[in-house]
Amino acid sequence: MDAETMTAPDLSRLARQRKRAAWAFLAPMLIVLAAVAAWPLARTIWFGFTDASLDQLGNAQWVGFQNYLHWFDYGNGQGEWEGVLADPRWWRSVWNTIWFAGLSVSIETVFGLVIALVLHRSFPGRGLVRAAILIPWAIPTIVSAKMWAWMLHDQFGIVNDMLMRVGLIDSAIAWTATPGTAMFAIVAVDVWKTTPFMALLILAALQMVPDDIYEAARMDGVPAFRLFRKVTLPLILPGLLVAVVFRTLDALRVFDLIYVLTPNTDATRSMSIYARENLFDYDKFAYGSAASTLLFFVIALITITFIRVTRMNLERED
Amino acid sequence: MARVELQAVRKSFGTVDVIHGIDLDLASGEFVVFVGPSGCGKSTLLRMIAGLEDISGGELRIGGEKMNDVLPAKRGCAMVFQSYALYPHMTVRENMAFGLEQARLSKREIEERVTQSARMLQIDHLMDRKPKALSGGQRQRVAIGRAISRQPRVFLFDEPLSNLDAALRVDTRIEIAALHHRLHDTTMIYVTHDQVEAMTLADRIVVLNAGKVEQVGTPMDLYERPASRFVASFIGSPRMNLIEGATAEAMGAACVGIRPEHLHVAQDGPWAGKVVMAEALGSDTFLHVETAEAGRVVVRIPPGETPTPGTALHLAPDAARLHRFGADGAPLA
Ligand SMILES: Nc1ncnc2c1ncn2[C@@H]1O[C@H](COP(=O)(O)OP(=O)(O)OP(=O)(O)O)[C@@H](O)[C@H]1O
Ligand SMILES: [Mg+2]
């Protein structure tokens, strides 16, 4: 605060007062954020460079990049690379996470857009439908994941039962346990759960578009699809992209859904699951911290790249 | 090029009747202004002609063809909206061309039409800007330019100037008048609240009240021979003074009307009163006078010295300019 006032000596008293008030209002949130976000993050990054284990967090020693990558020498002139970056399971989980996020967010965007377009029209009972559509989003993930686990159960699940009755499959499929279907089961449940959120954000963007330009387009006889592509889509694109960023961030740290539905499956192990396994199950706390740190940077990298790329697009549109 | 005929046209929103059977016959190339109080159905009627609202009953014909069930784009109408309705993400050029691209015109013809109407409205230097980077007046001109480039048979304006400031309103009004002159065979229908716009632009004015036509006529017709008490009080600014009670009865009417410009301050005038308020506008001065015989009336006097509130004076109405109305609001001969 002092530095601020010194660099701007010509600020009026009123402006200084306002600035002080602004900082006063911001301070509680900054302190809370520092306590619950910045500090744990810093600790995690630090643990990643130590030999900490769960029962010995106190006297962890600095080991540099050992957890990330190091050459393990067998002593006979041979050896191998070790560390998170050399672990094929880690890279598999990175790939799984990105594949999951890309697929589920794409499907959610398309479905969300369609639902938002429908909800944007006025029809009898719209308010009720709008509320009803939010139910999947309102259910805690653990609950809905458990619910879907039962529905997808290979012996007692209703999904198998229905598909067999209509003759789409001959024998029950273990949806969550079969490597070929596990990821699709996860994506399907995630789509079911988060499409409403997407639809709601897109609906908000749609409602920002003024009605009068649609009337102007009607006077011009612009066909519906062209109108959507040339008018609606460009106008909701900023909102749509924000929704996609939110969802992507969320999807990249997917944990609970997979933890409940398909634990211990290579086919669906995400970065978060990988980090947790090492942190707590395998008692490799430092190694898990290194994985968590990498997770943080992967998500940051993808998000920044996405924002960069789309902002370029936005500027071209604007 | 296109006569616009309405026959017993009605509109209801659900159970609410908004337009109650309107008959109008607008000649090709005519400039017609719809005026009326807020909520009387001006916009609704205009939008029915445009095709943006369904017609609940009666018949609409444009150029002799029944248009009730014709799509808006096929009616040959172009509309200028109060809010401009420009596409915010398109440049002026794209805004003007977008509608034309549906009409299966060649690229060259679109370019030609856009350039021509841009030049007509002097917006050719703004062609690559987005609406955000334009002033209100410029936006309105782009909206008009976009409508012109469609080369419509009928031009529809819904309060096009109401978002502009007073000076710009005058300029744009004059431009619209010039535009009508240039596009003299395009029928124009113009909705407004504004007296001056109605009086100066219109070939004929349609006064609407509560979903019905009160009177159709030239501006001077309406001013000089209002067909009802409603029209009398609606046309003219400031409003006509309406006097009821004994003074009116003495003249054999339920109500007499006299415009502020037809009342004079005169020593021997029959109405005695006191000035309550004086509004000096520079070119005119309006006195609000409380009289015993006629109640509170407004008088227009030439500029010059303004009587202070409290001044006692006598007023004389111009007998030839008195309007007499019966109890039903209809004029008496
Ligand atoms: N979509 C609608 N649903 C129900 N009633 C409507 C609808 N649109 C207009 N109305 C009603 O129709 C009447 C006429 O409306 P309209 O917009 O035509 O008035 P207006 O003469 O243009 O008024 P203003 O001068 O304020 O623009 C109003 O009473 C209005 O409430
Ligand atoms: Mg209106």
Side-chain angles (χ1 to χ4, degrees), chain B residues 138-171:
Chain B
Q138 290 169 333
R139 283 181 208 176
Q140 191 54 280
R141 270 203 296 233
V142 173
I144 295 173
R146 180 172 71 178
I148 292 177
S149 61
R150 291 196 51 214
Q151 304 185 346
R153 297 187 291 173
V154 182
F155 233 121
L156 307 170
F157 298 88
D158 192 354
E159 308 204 28
L161 307 186
S162 57
N163 286 343
L164 305 182
D165 68 47
L168 205 53
R169 217 186 260 206
V170 173
D171 292 347

PDB file of all heavy atoms in Angstrom, chain B residues 138-171:
ATOM      1  N   GLN B 138     -25.171   7.591 -36.265  1.00  0.00           N
ATOM      2  CA  GLN B 138     -24.557   6.795 -37.337  1.00  0.00           C
ATOM      3  C   GLN B 138     -25.174   5.405 -37.392  1.00  0.00           C
ATOM      4  O   GLN B 138     -25.436   4.876 -38.464  1.00  0.00           O
ATOM      5  CB  GLN B 138     -23.045   6.705 -37.104  1.00  0.00           C
ATOM      6  CG  GLN B 138     -22.344   8.030 -37.337  1.00  0.00           C
ATOM      7  CD  GLN B 138     -20.903   8.011 -36.863  1.00  0.00           C
ATOM      8  OE1 GLN B 138     -20.542   7.263 -35.958  1.00  0.00           O
ATOM      9  NE2 GLN B 138     -20.081   8.840 -37.474  1.00  0.00           N
ATOM     10  N   ARG B 139     -25.432   4.831 -36.216  1.00  0.00           N
ATOM     11  CA  ARG B 139     -26.057   3.507 -36.202  1.00  0.00           C
ATOM     12  C   ARG B 139     -27.411   3.551 -36.886  1.00  0.00           C
ATOM     13  O   ARG B 139     -27.764   2.676 -37.659  1.00  0.00           O
ATOM     14  CB  ARG B 139     -26.270   3.029 -34.770  1.00  0.00           C
ATOM     15  CG  ARG B 139     -25.007   2.539 -34.152  1.00  0.00           C
ATOM     16  CD  ARG B 139     -25.258   2.059 -32.745  1.00  0.00           C
ATOM     17  NE  ARG B 139     -24.036   2.234 -31.997  1.00  0.00           N
ATOM     18  CZ  ARG B 139     -23.893   1.995 -30.713  1.00  0.00           C
ATOM     19  NH1 ARG B 139     -24.915   1.562 -30.019  1.00  0.00           N
ATOM     20  NH2 ARG B 139     -22.751   2.171 -30.128  1.00  0.00           N
ATOM     21  N   GLN B 140     -28.168   4.618 -36.556  1.00  0.00           N
ATOM     22  CA  GLN B 140     -29.484   4.711 -37.141  1.00  0.00           C
ATOM     23  C   GLN B 140     -29.385   4.832 -38.660  1.00  0.00           C
ATOM     24  O   GLN B 140     -30.161   4.252 -39.397  1.00  0.00           O
ATOM     25  CB  GLN B 140     -30.239   5.897 -36.542  1.00  0.00           C
ATOM     26  CG  GLN B 140     -31.700   5.939 -36.893  1.00  0.00           C
ATOM     27  CD  GLN B 140     -32.401   4.645 -36.553  1.00  0.00           C
ATOM     28  OE1 GLN B 140     -32.325   3.664 -37.297  1.00  0.00           O
ATOM     29  NE2 GLN B 140     -33.060   4.603 -35.409  1.00  0.00           N
ATOM     30  N   ARG B 141     -28.376   5.578 -39.114  1.00  0.00           N
ATOM     31  CA  ARG B 141     -28.202   5.710 -40.562  1.00  0.00           C
ATOM     32  C   ARG B 141     -27.828   4.385 -41.197  1.00  0.00           C
ATOM     33  O   ARG B 141     -28.281   4.061 -42.292  1.00  0.00           O
ATOM     34  CB  ARG B 141     -27.162   6.776 -40.870  1.00  0.00           C
ATOM     35  CG  ARG B 141     -27.833   8.125 -41.018  1.00  0.00           C
ATOM     36  CD  ARG B 141     -26.982   9.002 -41.833  1.00  0.00           C
ATOM     37  NE  ARG B 141     -25.751   9.213 -41.091  1.00  0.00           N
ATOM     38  CZ  ARG B 141     -25.249  10.386 -40.816  1.00  0.00           C
ATOM     39  NH1 ARG B 141     -25.861  11.446 -41.227  1.00  0.00           N
ATOM     40  NH2 ARG B 141     -24.138  10.501 -40.144  1.00  0.00           N
ATOM     41  N   VAL B 142     -27.013   3.603 -40.492  1.00  0.00           N
ATOM     42  CA  VAL B 142     -26.667   2.283 -41.020  1.00  0.00           C
ATOM     43  C   VAL B 142     -27.922   1.420 -41.106  1.00  0.00           C
ATOM     44  O   VAL B 142     -28.156   0.735 -42.104  1.00  0.00           O
ATOM     45  CB  VAL B 142     -25.602   1.590 -40.140  1.00  0.00           C
ATOM     46  CG1 VAL B 142     -25.380   0.164 -40.594  1.00  0.00           C
ATOM     47  CG2 VAL B 142     -24.306   2.373 -40.175  1.00  0.00           C
ATOM     48  N   ALA B 143     -28.757   1.496 -40.064  1.00  0.00           N
ATOM     49  CA  ALA B 143     -29.989   0.701 -40.069  1.00  0.00           C
ATOM     50  C   ALA B 143     -30.872   1.110 -41.242  1.00  0.00           C
ATOM     51  O   ALA B 143     -31.459   0.264 -41.925  1.00  0.00           O
ATOM     52  CB  ALA B 143     -30.723   0.874 -38.750  1.00  0.00           C
ATOM     53  N   ILE B 144     -30.948   2.420 -41.498  1.00  0.00           N
ATOM     54  CA  ILE B 144     -31.747   2.888 -42.631  1.00  0.00           C
ATOM     55  C   ILE B 144     -31.097   2.439 -43.937  1.00  0.00           C
ATOM     56  O   ILE B 144     -31.769   1.971 -44.858  1.00  0.00           O
ATOM     57  CB  ILE B 144     -31.917   4.420 -42.572  1.00  0.00           C
ATOM     58  CG1 ILE B 144     -32.729   4.808 -41.339  1.00  0.00           C
ATOM     59  CG2 ILE B 144     -32.595   4.936 -43.831  1.00  0.00           C
ATOM     60  CD1 ILE B 144     -32.816   6.294 -41.084  1.00  0.00           C
ATOM     61  N   GLY B 145     -29.764   2.556 -43.986  1.00  0.00           N
ATOM     62  CA  GLY B 145     -29.041   2.132 -45.190  1.00  0.00           C
ATOM     63  C   GLY B 145     -29.255   0.661 -45.479  1.00  0.00           C
ATOM     64  O   GLY B 145     -29.442   0.257 -46.625  1.00  0.00           O
ATOM     65  N   ARG B 146     -29.250  -0.131 -44.432  1.00  0.00           N
ATOM     66  CA  ARG B 146     -29.470  -1.568 -44.608  1.00  0.00           C
ATOM     67  C   ARG B 146     -30.860  -1.818 -45.198  1.00  0.00           C
ATOM     68  O   ARG B 146     -31.031  -2.647 -46.091  1.00  0.00           O
ATOM     69  CB  ARG B 146     -29.344  -2.271 -43.251  1.00  0.00           C
ATOM     70  CG  ARG B 146     -29.562  -3.747 -43.327  1.00  0.00           C
ATOM     71  CD  ARG B 146     -29.241  -4.406 -42.018  1.00  0.00           C
ATOM     72  NE  ARG B 146     -30.220  -4.090 -40.986  1.00  0.00           N
ATOM     73  CZ  ARG B 146     -30.192  -4.584 -39.750  1.00  0.00           C
ATOM     74  NH1 ARG B 146     -29.214  -5.396 -39.401  1.00  0.00           N
ATOM     75  NH2 ARG B 146     -31.097  -4.258 -38.875  1.00  0.00           N
ATOM     76  N   ALA B 147     -31.835  -1.046 -44.707  1.00  0.00           N
ATOM     77  CA  ALA B 147     -33.190  -1.209 -45.223  1.00  0.00           C
ATOM     78  C   ALA B 147     -33.276  -0.759 -46.682  1.00  0.00           C
ATOM     79  O   ALA B 147     -33.897  -1.421 -47.512  1.00  0.00           O
ATOM     80  CB  ALA B 147     -34.169  -0.432 -44.355  1.00  0.00           C
ATOM     81  N   ILE B 148     -32.621   0.352 -46.984  1.00  0.00           N
ATOM     82  CA  ILE B 148     -32.669   0.864 -48.362  1.00  0.00           C
ATOM     83  C   ILE B 148     -32.080  -0.138 -49.335  1.00  0.00           C
ATOM     84  O   ILE B 148     -32.615  -0.371 -50.419  1.00  0.00           O
ATOM     85  CB  ILE B 148     -31.872   2.176 -48.484  1.00  0.00           C
ATOM     86  CG1 ILE B 148     -32.562   3.285 -47.712  1.00  0.00           C
ATOM     87  CG2 ILE B 148     -31.724   2.589 -49.936  1.00  0.00           C
ATOM     88  CD1 ILE B 148     -31.787   4.572 -47.749  1.00  0.00           C
ATOM     89  N   SER B 149     -30.946  -0.753 -48.927  1.00  0.00           N
ATOM     90  CA  SER B 149     -30.253  -1.604 -49.882  1.00  0.00           C
ATOM     91  C   SER B 149     -31.095  -2.829 -50.245  1.00  0.00           C
ATOM     92  O   SER B 149     -30.819  -3.500 -51.222  1.00  0.00           O
ATOM     93  CB  SER B 149     -28.887  -2.027 -49.332  1.00  0.00           C
ATOM     94  OG  SER B 149     -29.069  -2.760 -48.154  1.00  0.00           O
ATOM     95  N   ARG B 150     -32.129  -3.097 -49.478  1.00  0.00           N
ATOM     96  CA  ARG B 150     -33.023  -4.201 -49.864  1.00  0.00           C
ATOM     97  C   ARG B 150     -34.006  -3.764 -50.944  1.00  0.00           C
ATOM     98  O   ARG B 150     -34.755  -4.586 -51.470  1.00  0.00           O
ATOM     99  CB  ARG B 150     -33.781  -4.709 -48.646  1.00  0.00           C
ATOM    100  CG  ARG B 150     -32.852  -5.410 -47.663  1.00  0.00           C
ATOM    101  CD  ARG B 150     -33.631  -6.222 -46.679  1.00  0.00           C
ATOM    102  NE  ARG B 150     -34.562  -7.095 -47.361  1.00  0.00           N
ATOM    103  CZ  ARG B 150     -35.758  -7.419 -46.886  1.00  0.00           C
ATOM    104  NH1 ARG B 150     -36.158  -6.932 -45.760  1.00  0.00           N
ATOM    105  NH2 ARG B 150     -36.541  -8.224 -47.560  1.00  0.00           N
ATOM    106  N   GLN B 151     -34.020  -2.497 -51.249  1.00  0.00           N
ATOM    107  CA  GLN B 151     -34.925  -1.931 -52.243  1.00  0.00           C
ATOM    108  C   GLN B 151     -36.353  -2.402 -52.024  1.00  0.00           C
ATOM    109  O   GLN B 151     -36.963  -3.035 -52.886  1.00  0.00           O
ATOM    110  CB  GLN B 151     -34.446  -2.283 -53.659  1.00  0.00           C
ATOM    111  CG  GLN B 151     -33.015  -1.822 -53.871  1.00  0.00           C
ATOM    112  CD  GLN B 151     -32.530  -2.025 -55.287  1.00  0.00           C
ATOM    113  OE1 GLN B 151     -33.141  -2.736 -56.071  1.00  0.00           O
ATOM    114  NE2 GLN B 151     -31.426  -1.389 -55.619  1.00  0.00           N
ATOM    115  N   PRO B 152     -36.909  -2.079 -50.859  1.00  0.00           N
ATOM    116  CA  PRO B 152     -38.240  -2.574 -50.516  1.00  0.00           C
ATOM    117  C   PRO B 152     -39.331  -1.801 -51.243  1.00  0.00           C
ATOM    118  O   PRO B 152     -39.099  -0.689 -51.719  1.00  0.00           O
ATOM    119  CB  PRO B 152     -38.317  -2.315 -49.013  1.00  0.00           C
ATOM    120  CG  PRO B 152     -37.475  -1.101 -48.816  1.00  0.00           C
ATOM    121  CD  PRO B 152     -36.355  -1.197 -49.813  1.00  0.00           C
ATOM    122  N   ARG B 153     -40.512  -2.418 -51.292  1.00  0.00           N
ATOM    123  CA  ARG B 153     -41.672  -1.695 -51.825  1.00  0.00           C
ATOM    124  C   ARG B 153     -42.261  -0.848 -50.723  1.00  0.00           C
ATOM    125  O   ARG B 153     -42.854   0.195 -50.966  1.00  0.00           O
ATOM    126  CB  ARG B 153     -42.740  -2.694 -52.283  1.00  0.00           C
ATOM    127  CG  ARG B 153     -42.284  -3.578 -53.422  1.00  0.00           C
ATOM    128  CD  ARG B 153     -43.442  -4.393 -53.916  1.00  0.00           C
ATOM    129  NE  ARG B 153     -43.857  -5.400 -52.941  1.00  0.00           N
ATOM    130  CZ  ARG B 153     -44.938  -6.151 -53.075  1.00  0.00           C
ATOM    131  NH1 ARG B 153     -45.742  -5.984 -54.111  1.00  0.00           N
ATOM    132  NH2 ARG B 153     -45.247  -7.051 -52.186  1.00  0.00           N
ATOM    133  N   VAL B 154     -42.133  -1.337 -49.484  1.00  0.00           N
ATOM    134  CA  VAL B 154     -42.695  -0.619 -48.339  1.00  0.00           C
ATOM    135  C   VAL B 154     -41.612  -0.499 -47.266  1.00  0.00           C
ATOM    136  O   VAL B 154     -40.947  -1.466 -46.934  1.00  0.00           O
ATOM    137  CB  VAL B 154     -43.908  -1.369 -47.748  1.00  0.00           C
ATOM    138  CG1 VAL B 154     -44.496  -0.588 -46.588  1.00  0.00           C
ATOM    139  CG2 VAL B 154     -44.947  -1.628 -48.822  1.00  0.00           C
ATOM    140  N   PHE B 155     -41.467   0.696 -46.772  1.00  0.00           N
ATOM    141  CA  PHE B 155     -40.483   1.007 -45.749  1.00  0.00           C
ATOM    142  C   PHE B 155     -41.209   1.171 -44.428  1.00  0.00           C
ATOM    143  O   PHE B 155     -42.153   1.939 -44.346  1.00  0.00           O
ATOM    144  CB  PHE B 155     -39.859   2.360 -46.112  1.00  0.00           C
ATOM    145  CG  PHE B 155     -38.382   2.337 -46.162  1.00  0.00           C
ATOM    146  CD1 PHE B 155     -37.731   2.681 -47.338  1.00  0.00           C
ATOM    147  CD2 PHE B 155     -37.644   2.000 -45.056  1.00  0.00           C
ATOM    148  CE1 PHE B 155     -36.363   2.677 -47.402  1.00  0.00           C
ATOM    149  CE2 PHE B 155     -36.272   1.991 -45.122  1.00  0.00           C
ATOM    150  CZ  PHE B 155     -35.628   2.335 -46.297  1.00  0.00           C
ATOM    151  N   LEU B 156     -40.786   0.457 -43.394  1.00  0.00           N
ATOM    152  CA  LEU B 156     -41.463   0.570 -42.105  1.00  0.00           C
ATOM    153  C   LEU B 156     -40.485   1.124 -41.072  1.00  0.00           C
ATOM    154  O   LEU B 156     -39.369   0.637 -40.950  1.00  0.00           O
ATOM    155  CB  LEU B 156     -41.962  -0.807 -41.659  1.00  0.00           C
ATOM    156  CG  LEU B 156     -42.818  -1.567 -42.672  1.00  0.00           C
ATOM    157  CD1 LEU B 156     -43.048  -2.997 -42.221  1.00  0.00           C
ATOM    158  CD2 LEU B 156     -44.148  -0.855 -42.878  1.00  0.00           C
ATOM    159  N   PHE B 157     -40.905   2.141 -40.363  1.00  0.00           N
ATOM    160  CA  PHE B 157     -40.055   2.718 -39.315  1.00  0.00           C
ATOM    161  C   PHE B 157     -40.793   2.640 -37.981  1.00  0.00           C
ATOM    162  O   PHE B 157     -41.916   3.124 -37.889  1.00  0.00           O
ATOM    163  CB  PHE B 157     -39.789   4.202 -39.569  1.00  0.00           C
ATOM    164  CG  PHE B 157     -39.050   4.528 -40.831  1.00  0.00           C
ATOM    165  CD1 PHE B 157     -39.730   4.733 -42.017  1.00  0.00           C
ATOM    166  CD2 PHE B 157     -37.672   4.667 -40.819  1.00  0.00           C
ATOM    167  CE1 PHE B 157     -39.044   5.069 -43.173  1.00  0.00           C
ATOM    168  CE2 PHE B 157     -36.979   5.002 -41.969  1.00  0.00           C
ATOM    169  CZ  PHE B 157     -37.666   5.205 -43.156  1.00  0.00           C
ATOM    170  N   ASP B 158     -40.180   2.077 -36.974  1.00  0.00           N
ATOM    171  CA  ASP B 158     -40.798   2.097 -35.645  1.00  0.00           C
ATOM    172  C   ASP B 158     -40.008   3.038 -34.745  1.00  0.00           C
ATOM    173  O   ASP B 158     -38.954   2.675 -34.237  1.00  0.00           O
ATOM    174  CB  ASP B 158     -40.852   0.693 -35.043  1.00  0.00           C
ATOM    175  CG  ASP B 158     -41.751   0.639 -33.815  1.00  0.00           C
ATOM    176  OD1 ASP B 158     -42.224   1.714 -33.383  1.00  0.00           O
ATOM    177  OD2 ASP B 158     -41.982  -0.460 -33.298  1.00  0.00           O
ATOM    178  N   GLU B 159     -40.512   4.203 -34.548  1.00  0.00           N
ATOM    179  CA  GLU B 159     -39.862   5.229 -33.723  1.00  0.00           C
ATOM    180  C   GLU B 159     -38.356   5.277 -33.955  1.00  0.00           C
ATOM    181  O   GLU B 159     -37.576   5.095 -33.022  1.00  0.00           O
ATOM    182  CB  GLU B 159     -40.142   4.961 -32.240  1.00  0.00           C
ATOM    183  CG  GLU B 159     -41.619   4.796 -31.985  1.00  0.00           C
ATOM    184  CD  GLU B 159     -41.993   5.113 -30.554  1.00  0.00           C
ATOM    185  OE1 GLU B 159     -41.282   5.930 -29.947  1.00  0.00           O
ATOM    186  OE2 GLU B 159     -42.996   4.580 -30.079  1.00  0.00           O
ATOM    187  N   PRO B 160     -37.939   5.529 -35.190  1.00  0.00           N
ATOM    188  CA  PRO B 160     -36.512   5.391 -35.493  1.00  0.00           C
ATOM    189  C   PRO B 160     -35.648   6.450 -34.814  1.00  0.00           C
ATOM    190  O   PRO B 160     -34.456   6.250 -34.672  1.00  0.00           O
ATOM    191  CB  PRO B 160     -36.452   5.537 -37.009  1.00  0.00           C
ATOM    192  CG  PRO B 160     -37.650   6.345 -37.354  1.00  0.00           C
ATOM    193  CD  PRO B 160     -38.707   5.961 -36.361  1.00  0.00           C
ATOM    194  N   LEU B 161     -36.246   7.552 -34.402  1.00  0.00           N
ATOM    195  CA  LEU B 161     -35.410   8.645 -33.898  1.00  0.00           C
ATOM    196  C   LEU B 161     -35.450   8.781 -32.387  1.00  0.00           C
ATOM    197  O   LEU B 161     -34.812   9.654 -31.812  1.00  0.00           O
ATOM    198  CB  LEU B 161     -35.858   9.973 -34.526  1.00  0.00           C
ATOM    199  CG  LEU B 161     -35.943   9.986 -36.046  1.00  0.00           C
ATOM    200  CD1 LEU B 161     -36.239  11.383 -36.539  1.00  0.00           C
ATOM    201  CD2 LEU B 161     -34.668   9.452 -36.666  1.00  0.00           C
ATOM    202  N   SER B 162     -36.207   7.904 -31.725  1.00  0.00           N
ATOM    203  CA  SER B 162     -36.460   8.176 -30.309  1.00  0.00           C
ATOM    204  C   SER B 162     -35.225   7.974 -29.441  1.00  0.00           C
ATOM    205  O   SER B 162     -35.198   8.427 -28.315  1.00  0.00           O
ATOM    206  CB  SER B 162     -37.610   7.322 -29.799  1.00  0.00           C
ATOM    207  OG  SER B 162     -37.302   5.977 -30.016  1.00  0.00           O
ATOM    208  N   ASN B 163     -34.188   7.296 -29.961  1.00  0.00           N
ATOM    209  CA  ASN B 163     -32.982   7.154 -29.145  1.00  0.00           C
ATOM    210  C   ASN B 163     -31.938   8.233 -29.431  1.00  0.00           C
ATOM    211  O   ASN B 163     -30.823   8.147 -28.947  1.00  0.00           O
ATOM    212  CB  ASN B 163     -32.340   5.785 -29.369  1.00  0.00           C
ATOM    213  CG  ASN B 163     -33.136   4.689 -28.697  1.00  0.00           C
ATOM    214  OD1 ASN B 163     -33.960   4.969 -27.832  1.00  0.00           O
ATOM    215  ND2 ASN B 163     -32.913   3.464 -29.099  1.00  0.00           N
ATOM    216  N   LEU B 164     -32.302   9.201 -30.253  1.00  0.00           N
ATOM    217  CA  LEU B 164     -31.321  10.228 -30.618  1.00  0.00           C
ATOM    218  C   LEU B 164     -31.572  11.513 -29.830  1.00  0.00           C
ATOM    219  O   LEU B 164     -32.693  11.764 -29.397  1.00  0.00           O
ATOM    220  CB  LEU B 164     -31.422  10.533 -32.116  1.00  0.00           C
ATOM    221  CG  LEU B 164     -31.279   9.332 -33.039  1.00  0.00           C
ATOM    222  CD1 LEU B 164     -31.348   9.779 -34.492  1.00  0.00           C
ATOM    223  CD2 LEU B 164     -29.982   8.596 -32.777  1.00  0.00           C
ATOM    224  N   ASP B 165     -30.540  12.312 -29.675  1.00  0.00           N
ATOM    225  CA  ASP B 165     -30.756  13.574 -28.966  1.00  0.00           C
ATOM    226  C   ASP B 165     -31.448  14.580 -29.890  1.00  0.00           C
ATOM    227  O   ASP B 165     -31.559  14.366 -31.088  1.00  0.00           O
ATOM    228  CB  ASP B 165     -29.451  14.120 -28.386  1.00  0.00           C
ATOM    229  CG  ASP B 165     -28.494  14.571 -29.465  1.00  0.00           C
ATOM    230  OD1 ASP B 165     -28.933  15.294 -30.387  1.00  0.00           O
ATOM    231  OD2 ASP B 165     -27.321  14.191 -29.405  1.00  0.00           O
ATOM    232  N   ALA B 166     -31.915  15.667 -29.290  1.00  0.00           N
ATOM    233  CA  ALA B 166     -32.834  16.558 -29.999  1.00  0.00           C
ATOM    234  C   ALA B 166     -32.262  17.075 -31.312  1.00  0.00           C
ATOM    235  O   ALA B 166     -32.938  17.034 -32.348  1.00  0.00           O
ATOM    236  CB  ALA B 166     -33.217  17.721 -29.086  1.00  0.00           C
ATOM    237  N   ALA B 167     -30.995  17.511 -31.298  1.00  0.00           N
ATOM    238  CA  ALA B 167     -30.424  18.113 -32.503  1.00  0.00           C
ATOM    239  C   ALA B 167     -30.307  17.069 -33.612  1.00  0.00           C
ATOM    240  O   ALA B 167     -30.676  17.308 -34.762  1.00  0.00           O
ATOM    241  CB  ALA B 167     -29.045  18.693 -32.181  1.00  0.00           C
ATOM    242  N   LEU B 168     -29.824  15.893 -33.233  1.00  0.00           N
ATOM    243  CA  LEU B 168     -29.635  14.831 -34.203  1.00  0.00           C
ATOM    244  C   LEU B 168     -30.970  14.371 -34.765  1.00  0.00           C
ATOM    245  O   LEU B 168     -31.099  14.002 -35.920  1.00  0.00           O
ATOM    246  CB  LEU B 168     -28.940  13.668 -33.500  1.00  0.00           C
ATOM    247  CG  LEU B 168     -28.139  12.758 -34.403  1.00  0.00           C
ATOM    248  CD1 LEU B 168     -27.168  13.573 -35.228  1.00  0.00           C
ATOM    249  CD2 LEU B 168     -27.394  11.755 -33.551  1.00  0.00           C
ATOM    250  N   ARG B 169     -31.988  14.425 -33.910  1.00  0.00           N
ATOM    251  CA  ARG B 169     -33.319  14.035 -34.315  1.00  0.00           C
ATOM    252  C   ARG B 169     -33.810  14.923 -35.455  1.00  0.00           C
ATOM    253  O   ARG B 169     -34.372  14.449 -36.428  1.00  0.00           O
ATOM    254  CB  ARG B 169     -34.235  14.216 -33.112  1.00  0.00           C
ATOM    255  CG  ARG B 169     -35.279  13.165 -32.992  1.00  0.00           C
ATOM    256  CD  ARG B 169     -36.165  13.534 -31.882  1.00  0.00           C
ATOM    257  NE  ARG B 169     -35.795  12.784 -30.700  1.00  0.00           N
ATOM    258  CZ  ARG B 169     -36.659  12.515 -29.737  1.00  0.00           C
ATOM    259  NH1 ARG B 169     -37.895  12.971 -29.809  1.00  0.00           N
ATOM    260  NH2 ARG B 169     -36.288  11.834 -28.701  1.00  0.00           N
ATOM    261  N   VAL B 170     -33.551  16.213 -35.301  1.00  0.00           N
ATOM    262  CA  VAL B 170     -33.973  17.153 -36.342  1.00  0.00           C
ATOM    263  C   VAL B 170     -33.233  16.841 -37.638  1.00  0.00           C
ATOM    264  O   VAL B 170     -33.846  16.710 -38.706  1.00  0.00           O
ATOM    265  CB  VAL B 170     -33.699  18.604 -35.897  1.00  0.00           C
ATOM    266  CG1 VAL B 170     -33.981  19.570 -37.033  1.00  0.00           C
ATOM    267  CG2 VAL B 170     -34.536  18.938 -34.674  1.00  0.00           C
ATOM    268  N   ASP B 171     -31.909  16.656 -37.546  1.00  0.00           N
ATOM    269  CA  ASP B 171     -31.122  16.361 -38.754  1.00  0.00           C
ATOM    270  C   ASP B 171     -31.616  15.096 -39.436  1.00  0.00           C
ATOM    271  O   ASP B 171     -31.822  15.066 -40.649  1.00  0.00           O
ATOM    272  CB  ASP B 171     -29.642  16.161 -38.385  1.00  0.00           C
ATOM    273  CG  ASP B 171     -29.007  17.454 -37.924  1.00  0.00           C
ATOM    274  OD1 ASP B 171     -29.644  18.513 -38.129  1.00  0.00           O
ATOM    275  OD2 ASP B 171     -27.901  17.408 -37.362  1.00  0.00           O
TER     276      ASP B 171
END
